[in-house]
């Protein structure tokens, strides 16, 4: 399976409160193989594993699980504590009620609660502070509530909608990568995720032993979480992934799925994505993996992604990452030649590593 990538917006947001410590910021970026110049590239993406490690290191530096975005610093270990409180709940509803109660006890300026209305349930975040919080605080926390809920019951929960108390933002296109829904509502009184109420009765299918492994690197487990749910986007991704060198078009993929191309486009549109967006993101993620993990040459990578010319791949890669594939390779080679041994530094299980 290809590795996920994360938009540069989230890197900027996660390291925002290191801006007044430029040397520290440069160090934590380079330590995690993220070229500092990428912060200036609006459409760049970084490997999910690098981003996950960046978050761990930033939390250790700031001593704050909310990375400076809440009213006060949230003590390290808060996430570990709430997961231990919820793992033994009889079902998801009780787990989320415990989850919400725990975070209401922390003075971080946000009240959390589980609301049940008719056939729907909502996990709600509402500000209790005069401080205006960043969009990232709400985006990241709701992402974790959603993904942790999936993990607890070992089943993907289809969201009805996600709502936010701010206007539509430039990064809203990324929300489809965070939340499995195409329905987003803005300028709401509070922030929330909404899902079918029946999922509250799902039993907890994880054990304390599973939790220990989960806590070894929570953020990576969340960012790399894969769904069994085969929506149209997932099915298109899988067909493309199995045939990248041939680069099949939407007509061929529609035929494989036994639908008309117009129908497939409409189904993808209902899920908030376009065929080209799926293909380009998949190519980007696979390219990063080939160049970084498998040490492929730029030419070989272009060929394996279905590009007839290396120059075309180079232009596409630069549009995705903000640098050419050659510069990306050179940067990583230089970075790794002087890399510090990071494996033991600051590793503590249980930190909530928000995306």
């Amino acid at each position: 399976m290809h590795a996920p990538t994360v938009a540069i917006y989230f890197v900027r947001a996660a390291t925002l409160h290191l801006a007044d410590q430029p040397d520290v910021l440069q160090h934590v970026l380079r330590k995690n193989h993220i070229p500092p110049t990428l912060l200036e590239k609006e459409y760049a993406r970084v490997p999910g594993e690098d981003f996950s490690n960046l978050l761990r290191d930033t939390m250790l530096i700031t001593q704050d699980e909310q990375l400076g975005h809440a009213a006060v610093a949230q003590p390290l270990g808060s996430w570990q504590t709430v997961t231990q409180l919820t793992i033994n709940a009889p079902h998801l509803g009780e787990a989320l009620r415990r989850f919400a109660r725990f975070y209401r006890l922390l003075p971080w300026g946000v009240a959390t609660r589980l609301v049940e209305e008719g056939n729907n349930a909502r996990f709600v975040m509402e500000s209790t502070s005069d401080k205006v919080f960043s969009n990232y605080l709400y985006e990241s926390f709701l992402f974790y509530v959603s993904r942790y809920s999936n993990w607890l019951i070992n089943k993907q929960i289809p969201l009805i909608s996600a709502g936010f108390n701010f206007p539509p933002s430039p990064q809203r296109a990324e929300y489809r990568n965070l939340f499995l829904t195409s329905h987003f509502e803005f300028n709401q009184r509070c922030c929330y995720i909404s899902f079918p109420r029946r999922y509250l009765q799902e039993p907890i299918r994880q054990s304390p032993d599973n939790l220990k492994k989960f806590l070894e690197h929570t953020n990576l487990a969340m960012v790399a979480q894969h769904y069994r749910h085969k929506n149209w986007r997932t099915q298109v991704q899988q067909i493309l992934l199995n045939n990248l060198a041939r680069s099949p078009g939407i007509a061929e993929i529609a035929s494989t799925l036994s639908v008309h191309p117009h129908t497939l486009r409409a189904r993808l549109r209902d899920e908030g994505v376009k065929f080209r967006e799926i293909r380009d993101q998949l190519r980007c993620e696979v390219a990063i993996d080939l160049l970084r993990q498998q040490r492929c040459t730029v030419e070989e990578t272009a060929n394996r992604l279905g590009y007839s010319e290396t120059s075309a791949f180079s232009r596409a890669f630069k549009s995705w990452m903000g640098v050419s594939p050659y510069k990306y390779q050179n940067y990583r080679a230089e970075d790794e030649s002087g890399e510090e041994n990071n494996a033991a530094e600051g590793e503590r299980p249980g930190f909530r590593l928000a995306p």
Side-chain angles (χ1 to χ4, degrees):
M1 179 61 68
H2 68 286
T5 60
V6 176
I8 200 67
Y9 158 78
F10 296 106
V11 177
R12 289 198 297 259
T15 58
L16 177 65
H17 295 95
L18 296 181
D20 58 350
Q21 305 175 67
D23 291 343
V24 174
L25 175 59
Q26 292 271 326
H27 170 73
V28 76
L29 289 171
R30 292 189 178 280
K31 176 183 176 183
N32 292 293
H33 319 302
I34 300 174
T37 54
L38 285 190
L39 294 181
E40 304 167 6
K41 308 297 183 180
E42 192 63 32
Y43 301 105
R45 308 187 70 83
V46 301
E49 183 178 1
D50 291 345
F51 178 67
S52 302
N53 292 330
L54 170 81
L55 293 173
R56 177 197 61 210
D57 293 340
T58 304
M59 285 185 186
L60 288 167
I61 292 168
T62 60
Q63 291 290 290
D64 180 5
E65 289 194 1
Q66 295 296 344
L67 303 171
H69 288 276
V72 298
Q74 195 167 101
L76 301 183
S78 297
W79 175 256
Q80 179 176 0
T81 301
V82 77
T83 59
Q84 291 169 341
L85 288 172
T86 54
I87 192 66
N88 292 315
H91 47 68
L92 181 63
E94 177 59 24
L96 288 179
R97 279 186 281 271
R98 293 180 187 180
F99 193 101
R101 284 198 301 269
F102 174 83
Y103 277 102
R104 285 201 300 273
L105 296 174
L106 300 181
W108 59 309
V110 175
T112 54
R113 66 184 189 276
L114 179 66
V115 178
E116 300 177 52
E117 300 173 336
N119 293 325
N120 296 342
R122 290 191 301 160
F123 189 94
V124 177
M125 298 177 69
E126 190 166 10
S127 174
T128 59
S129 171
D130 293 334
K131 179 179 179 179
V132 177
F133 297 125
S134 67
N135 296 358
Y136 179 82
L137 179 73
Y138 300 111
E139 296 161 344
S140 62
F141 194 83
L142 289 177
F143 168 85
Y144 264 73
V145 174
S146 175
R147 297 278 173 116
Y148 181 59
S149 298
N150 293 340
W151 180 81
L152 279 175
I153 66 173
N154 197 28
K155 182 183 294 186
Q156 185 272 323
I157 303 171
L159 299 182
I160 296 170
S161 64
F164 302 96
N165 61 0
F166 47 80
S169 53
Q171 70 274 7
R172 64 186 180 275
E174 286 297 318
Y175 288 176
R176 277 292 291 117
N177 296 322
L178 302 182
F179 310 102
L180 193 57
T181 181
S182 58
H183 301 288
F184 301 101
E185 300 171 324
F186 297 92
N187 296 312
Q188 302 296 299
R189 184 178 61 83
C190 56
C191 297
Y192 58 86
I193 52 172
S194 173
F195 54 93
R197 187 177 181 177
R198 65 180 183 275
Y199 283 92
L200 296 180
Q201 300 306 313
E202 289 281 343
I204 302 302
R205 297 186 174 90
Q206 303 292 350
S207 68
D209 286 340
N210 292 343
L211 179 62
K212 290 178 183 178
K213 183 174 179 60
F214 174 80
L215 290 173
E216 289 175 3
H217 206 330
T218 293
N219 188 71
L220 186 57
M222 297 292 92
V223 170
Q225 187 177 85
H226 294 294
Y227 298 119
R228 295 178 180 176
H229 176 69
K230 297 298 183 182
N231 59 10
W232 292 99
R233 178 184 185 174
T234 306
Q235 293 181 79
V236 169
Q237 282 179 327
Q238 192 59 55
I239 295 171
L240 283 171
L241 189 61
N242 293 338
N243 299 277
L244 275 176
R246 291 197 305 103
S247 190
I250 193 168
E252 180 180 339
I253 292 175
S255 177
T256 302
L257 294 173
S258 301
V259 296
H260 193 278
H262 293 318
T263 301
L264 180 57
R265 287 192 181 94
R267 299 286 166 79
L268 292 174
R269 187 165 57 247
D270 289 343
E271 294 180 358
V273 291
K274 298 178 181 178
F275 173 73
R276 182 174 179 177
E277 294 171 348
I278 297 173
R279 184 190 60 193
D280 287 351
Q281 183 170 340
L282 186 64
R283 281 174 161 176
C284 175
E285 292 174 350
V286 173
I288 289 172
D289 182 66
L290 291 174
L291 293 169
R292 176 192 171 192
Q293 300 290 358
Q294 301 187 40
R295 311 294 187 186
C296 294
T297 65
V298 173
E299 291 74 15
E300 183 181 0
T301 300
N303 182 260
R304 290 177 65 172
L305 292 179
Y307 286 91
S308 57
E309 297 182 359
T310 302
S311 58
F313 165 65
S314 295
R315 287 192 298 271
F317 188 90
K318 188 170 184 178
S319 72
W320 303 328
M321 294 293 292
V323 295
S324 73
Y326 297 101
K327 286 187 177 180
Y328 180 75
Q329 274 194 323
N330 290 339
Y331 172 81
R332 293 201 58 79
E334 293 170 3
D335 182 70
E336 290 168 4
S337 67
E339 186 179 26
E340 299 175 4
N341 183 0
N342 301 326
E345 182 181 342
E347 295 252 12
R348 294 188 198 173
F351 293 173
R352 187 185 75 81
L353 304 182

